[in-house]
Amino acid sequence: MSDLQDRMKQAVAEAATEQIRSGMVVGLGSGSTAALMIQALGAKLKRGELTDITGVTTSFQGEVLAAELGIPLKSLNAIERIDLAIDGADEVDPAFQLIKGGGACHVQEKLVARRAERFVVVVDATKLVDTLNLGFLLPVEVLPGAWRQVQAELQALGGEAQLRMAVRKAGPVVTDQGNLVLDVRFAGGITDPAGLEQEINNLPGVLENGLFVGITDQVLVGEIAGDQPRVRDLEKR
């Protein structure tokens, strides 16, 4: 990752924490930009700038990081509300539709985002696209005993699906829920995210897919102006 991209991510992560107020229940997202946001939140708590914060994490990775930083945590089942959720995305289109799941955490991420009163997405400028799925594959979480069946069903829908394999372990990626991930590419990209999200989730054996439609309230974009990072509040189209 380039130094410029690092600086963009840091700027947008810190900007997102400005929306957090004392007493809030905050959904803490997954991925590299969200990790920077969690670190910025932990620093504010340590300095006493924020108090009485409860975090709800979207991954085991986030849970470990938040615990190391002393951020109090509760599970989804133990809270009555989430005031604000902040998370990254792998792709964002002009209508604030997302693809998430590059880290295989999209099931818990979607649960937290749907529960939140406000869902804010933090990305660097490289994640902005006109059409979803032309560059980034769509993750679909499947039951281990059904992945071949779901793969065939996705092919019938026009998607080329491959089982995601682990990098530093033998065998496939296993999610926090103990399932597998199929990464799918649709020729020409995804032109109807809302319809496809429902269609895929109706397939037997599918737990959830990485399309996030109609739940994003705000997108903050880190970018470089000249040689300085800045944050842009994206306008929804």
Side-chain angles (χ1 to χ4, degrees):
M1 188 182 301
S2 69
D3 178 60
L4 285 179
Q5 192 173 13
D6 282 340
R7 291 166 65 195
M8 286 191 291
K9 290 187 175 200
Q10 187 68 49
V12 76
E14 291 179 0
T17 63
E18 295 298 319
Q19 301 197 28
I20 301 174
R21 302 287 179 264
S22 293
M24 276 189 170
V25 178
V26 183
L28 305 177
S30 309
S32 56
T33 306
L36 293 171
M37 178 272 297
I38 294 172
Q39 290 172 347
L41 173 59
K44 285 193 167 192
L45 284 169
K46 187 174 182 179
R47 293 193 298 264
E49 297 173 22
L50 290 170
T51 58
D52 191 27
I53 295 294
T54 300
V56 181
T57 60
T58 58
S59 66
F60 186 68
Q61 172 207 35
E63 182 180 333
V64 170
L65 178 59
E68 288 176 348
L69 295 168
I71 300 172
L73 299 175
K74 286 188 177 180
S75 70
L76 267 177
N77 288 328
I79 50 99
E80 297 298 325
R81 72 185 194 285
I82 296 176
D83 299 294
L84 172 67
I86 303 171
D87 205 346
D90 297 297
E91 287 189 338
V92 181
D93 79 3
F96 286 13
Q97 301 170 122
L98 318 174
I99 286 182
K100 291 177 53 55
C105 305
H106 50 286
V107 171
Q108 190 75 1
E109 288 171 342
K110 192 175 285 190
L111 285 168
V112 169
R114 283 289 296 268
R115 187 78 175 273
E117 292 295 319
R118 275 181 53 76
F119 177 43
V120 177
V121 171
V122 290
V123 293
D124 64 77
T126 66
K127 305 300 176 65
L128 303 181
V129 299
D130 290 324
T131 303
L132 297 176
N133 195 228
L134 289 176
F136 197 87
L137 302 178
L138 174 66
V140 178
E141 184 160 337
V142 299
L143 298 175
W147 75 268
R148 290 293 297 274
Q149 178 176 330
V150 174
Q151 184 184 45
E153 296 265 21
L154 289 168
Q155 185 171 355
L157 293 178
E160 180 183 342
Q162 297 296 325
L163 187 64
R164 186 184 298 184
M165 303 304 290
V167 176
R168 297 182 66 180
K169 105 179 222 318
V173 168
V174 179
T175 71
D176 288 355
Q177 287 77 34
N179 297 311
L180 305 180
V181 176
L182 291 170
D183 287 315
V184 193
R185 183 182 302 283
F186 290 88
I190 296 173
T191 55
D192 179 17
L196 187 63
E197 180 186 28
Q198 293 185 11
E199 198 166 13
I200 292 175
N201 280 352
N202 282 337
L203 297 176
V206 171
L207 182 62
E208 187 55 81
N209 70 81
L211 284 167
F212 284 52
V213 179
I215 56 177
T216 303
D217 296 298
Q218 184 181 23
V219 176
L220 298 177
V221 183
E223 53 192 14
I224 297 295
D227 61 350
Q228 294 299 317
R230 71 176 184 185
V231 176
R232 178 161 55 101
D233 196 339
L234 199 65
E235 291 187 11
K236 188 175 185 177
R237 295 196 307 222

